[in-house]
Amino acid sequence: MRDAESGAYTQFPQQGTLVIEDDVEIGANSTIDRGALEETRVRRGTKIDNLVHIGHNCDIGEDVVLVMGTGISGSSSVGKGAVLAGQVGIGIMHTWGRE
């Protein structure tokens, strides 16, 4: 987040939560950001390989497989049973300040 007047980056404390449901496997060196203001959720049965990144406020469905090199940007959703192979990136476009 940037200060509107100075353009300097400002810190924004992550105040949300992270919920990891039953039977989730998380590989080495994977990172899951807790929610910024809401929650990040990894649903039942999901398998996360090594070196995967899940951004803040994401919702990962049941029985999802995330293979090495997958990156999911904040506020994205992955549906039930999806398989994302290596070097996959998912992003969402934000419209900050627009109605």
Side-chain angles (χ1 to χ4, degrees):
M1 179 177 272
R2 283 189 162 192
D3 181 271
E5 293 181 21
S6 69
Y9 285 101
T10 58
Q11 288 187 334
F12 182 83
Q14 303 297 90
Q15 300 173 359
T17 60
L18 169 61
V19 177
I20 299 174
E21 294 184 0
D22 293 338
D23 301 319
V24 171
E25 296 178 16
I26 302 172
N29 295 315
S30 289
T31 56
I32 304 172
D33 295 344
R34 75 186 209 175
L37 294 172
E38 299 175 16
E39 106 178 344
T40 298
R41 181 174 290 265
V42 180
R43 297 184 185 275
R44 184 206 50 78
T46 290
K47 308 304 181 208
I48 301 171
D49 197 7
N50 304 325
L51 299 167
V52 169
H53 177 74
I54 299 172
H56 59 85
N57 302 334
C58 285
D59 186 353
I60 309 302
E62 292 182 358
D63 299 314
V64 168
V65 175
L66 303 175
V67 179
M68 188 283 301
T70 299
I72 303 173
S73 71
S75 301
S76 296
S77 296
V78 177
K80 179 179 179 178
V83 177
L84 303 182
Q87 298 300 314
V88 169
I90 294 179
I92 186 168
M93 189 155 120
H94 294 283
T95 55
W96 297 104
R98 296 182 185 166
E99 296 182 354

